[in-house]
Amino acid sequence: QVQLVESGGGLVQAGGSLRLSCAVSGRTFVTYVMGWFRQAPGKEREFVAAINWGGSSTYYADSAKGRFTISRENAKNTLYLQMNSLKPEDTAVYYCAADRGGHGLSFDERHYAYWGQGTQVTVSS
């Protein structure tokens, strides 16, 4: 059984920064492609970023490019999302997710088998 637990969300002013963390249980974390998704009120969940098992390849949504950085620390079974220059439109519940493989760096949430419970990020103007 794989469990994902996000942390690090909160309230921040526009232009500020937050770092989200996702702790993953299970010995096979190192083999998973990991991703971050978000869901704003009244909107569908959308892709934010993904990272390969070794951390050498990343993929970002256009909305995240240049502001967000996804990274992972396999020795700690932890995934991160550093978010800078936050905007009010970044307000959402942020989810981490794990893909058991075979899909490359996917933006499609259907490719991710395991999900965390989400952490709220609120950016005030």
Coordinates of all heavy atoms in Angstrom, one line a residue, residues 3-4 34 37 49 68 77 85-86 109 123:
Q3 N 1.1 5.3 0.4 CA 0.4 6.5 1.0 C 1.2 7.7 0.7 O 2.4 7.7 0.8 CB 0.2 6.3 2.5 CG -0.8 5.2 2.8 CD -1.2 5.2 4.3 OE1 -0.3 5.4 5.1 NE2 -2.4 4.9 4.6
L4 N 0.5 8.8 0.3 CA 1.1 10.1 0.0 C 0.5 11.1 1.0 O -0.7 11.2 1.1 CB 0.9 10.5 -1.4 CG 1.6 9.7 -2.5 CD1 1.0 8.4 -2.7 CD2 1.5 10.5 -3.8
M34 N 6.6 11.1 -10.4 CA 5.8 11.9 -9.4 C 5.3 13.1 -10.0 O 5.9 13.7 -10.9 CB 6.6 12.2 -8.2 CG 7.1 11.0 -7.4 SD 5.8 10.0 -6.7 CE 5.0 11.1 -5.6
F37 N -0.6 18.2 -8.9 CA -1.8 18.7 -9.6 C -2.4 19.7 -8.6 O -2.1 19.7 -7.5 CB -2.8 17.5 -9.9 CG -2.3 16.6 -10.9 CD1 -1.3 15.6 -10.7 CD2 -2.8 16.6 -12.2 CE1 -0.9 14.8 -11.7 CE2 -2.4 15.8 -13.2 CZ -1.4 14.8 -12.9
A49 N 3.1 19.9 -12.5 CA 4.5 19.5 -12.8 C 4.7 18.0 -12.6 O 3.9 17.4 -11.8 CB 5.4 20.3 -11.9
F68 N 7.6 27.8 -10.6 CA 7.6 26.6 -9.7 C 8.7 25.7 -10.1 O 9.1 25.6 -11.3 CB 6.3 25.8 -9.9 CG 5.0 26.6 -9.5 CD1 5.1 27.9 -9.0 CD2 3.8 25.9 -9.6 CE1 3.9 28.5 -8.6 CE2 2.6 26.6 -9.2 CZ 2.7 27.9 -8.7
N77 N 12.3 9.7 0.5 CA 10.9 9.4 0.0 C 10.0 10.6 0.0 O 8.9 10.6 0.3 CB 10.2 8.3 0.8 CG 10.7 6.9 0.4 OD1 11.7 6.7 -0.3 ND2 9.9 5.9 0.7
S85 N 6.8 33.7 -6.6 CA 6.1 34.7 -7.3 C 4.6 34.2 -7.4 O 4.0 34.3 -8.5 CB 6.6 34.9 -8.7 OG 8.0 35.3 -8.7
L86 N 4.0 33.8 -6.3 CA 2.7 33.3 -6.3 C 1.7 34.4 -6.7 O 1.8 35.6 -6.4 CB 2.3 32.7 -5.0 CG 3.0 31.3 -4.7 CD1 3.0 31.0 -3.3 CD2 2.2 30.3 -5.5
E109 N -4.0 12.9 -15.4 CA -4.2 12.4 -14.1 C -4.6 11.0 -14.1 O -4.4 10.3 -13.1 CB -5.2 13.3 -13.3 CG -6.6 13.2 -13.9 CD -7.6 14.0 -13.0 OE1 -7.5 15.2 -13.0 OE2 -8.4 13.3 -12.3
V123 N -3.6 32.3 -2.0 CA -2.8 33.5 -2.3 C -3.7 34.7 -2.3 O -4.6 34.8 -3.1 CB -2.0 33.3 -3.7 CG1 -1.1 34.5 -3.9 CG2 -1.3 32.0 -3.7

